[in-house]
Amino acid sequence: MFVPHTKHNQPSLFDTVNQMSPVMRRRLEGSWAEIFCKIDESIFQVLYSVKYSHPNTPVNMLIGAELLKSWFRWTDAELFEQCAFNIEVRYALRERSFEGELFSERTLYYFRTALSDHMRQTGINLVEEVFKSWIDEHVKRFEIKSGAQRMDSTLG
């Protein structure tokens, strides 16, 4: 069953980030760790049953973890190590405490399988859809003219 993730909108009073000094908190909040909220979870709703069941692990957390893994060229083992102990990674995935595991290896593997099966059945790459929405957002936000490209910009 698909349930949108909104827990990150109301952090706990006693979370790790709130215990940091104001200087450290500003450094963390101004870092690369802002990808999480940009992921549109609703795109992935098609991967889940409509029947009432156990809610899904937050999709933006799973996609965010995959993006970090790719970005830093981590193995799966390194990804889980970083998710367990790296405050910047946990912050990027909007987990603001160290109270528990973000998600299990099995959950991530099942999610990858569901993504792959969906693409094979429909031809739609849902992760690519996330990137397309980001590109569209940036084209609008920064008023980028994407229709023509200068030749001297492409030779090099």
Side-chain angles (χ1 to χ4, degrees):
M1 179 174 107
F2 176 81
V3 177
H5 184 229
T6 58
K7 177 185 161 195
H8 63 281
N9 292 331
Q10 290 187 320
S12 166
L13 180 62
F14 303 107
D15 71 22
T16 306
V17 176
N18 284 339
Q19 296 174 17
M20 296 175 140
S21 72
V23 171
M24 292 300 290
R25 193 171 332 131
R26 276 194 301 276
R27 282 182 60 195
L28 181 62
E29 290 169 352
S31 73
W32 53 264
E34 290 296 320
I35 61 170
F36 184 85
C37 295
K38 301 286 187 196
I39 297 169
D40 180 8
E41 287 186 297
S42 66
I43 294 171
F44 299 90
Q45 190 168 353
V46 297
L47 301 178
Y48 296 92
S49 171
V50 293
K51 296 178 183 175
Y52 184 78
S53 60
H54 188 275
N56 59 290
T57 297
V59 173
N60 42 16
M61 188 177 286
L62 296 171
I63 291 296
E66 290 289 357
L67 291 173
L68 292 172
K69 178 184 181 236
S70 176
W71 188 6
F72 291 110
R73 297 185 175 144
W74 292 330
T75 63
D76 282 350
E78 290 169 324
L79 171 65
F80 287 105
E81 185 80 8
Q82 294 293 329
C83 286
F85 301 111
N86 185 329
I87 192 167
E88 201 166 24
V89 168
R90 290 179 77 88
Y91 181 79
L93 299 176
R94 287 302 186 259
E95 181 57 47
R96 298 170 58 105
S97 74
F98 283 92
E99 292 175 6
E101 185 178 54
L102 297 180
F103 48 84
S104 70
E105 291 181 39
R106 177 179 284 175
T107 298
L108 187 60
Y109 298 149
Y110 283 155
F111 184 69
R112 289 175 181 166
T113 300
L115 282 172
S116 177
D117 290 347
H118 180 75
M119 185 171 171
R120 193 171 32 259
Q121 292 168 3
T122 65
I124 299 170
N125 182 338
L126 296 175
V127 177
E128 187 177 298
E129 296 299 315
V130 170
F131 283 104
K132 284 181 184 175
S133 71
W134 287 355
I135 290 168
D136 292 344
E137 177 186 328
H138 282 85
V139 165
K140 282 183 195 173
R141 182 175 174 196
F142 297 111
E143 299 176 2
I144 298 170
K145 294 181 176 81
S146 61
Q149 185 175 18
R150 291 180 19 190
M151 285 299 291
D152 61 341
S153 298
T154 61
L155 300 174

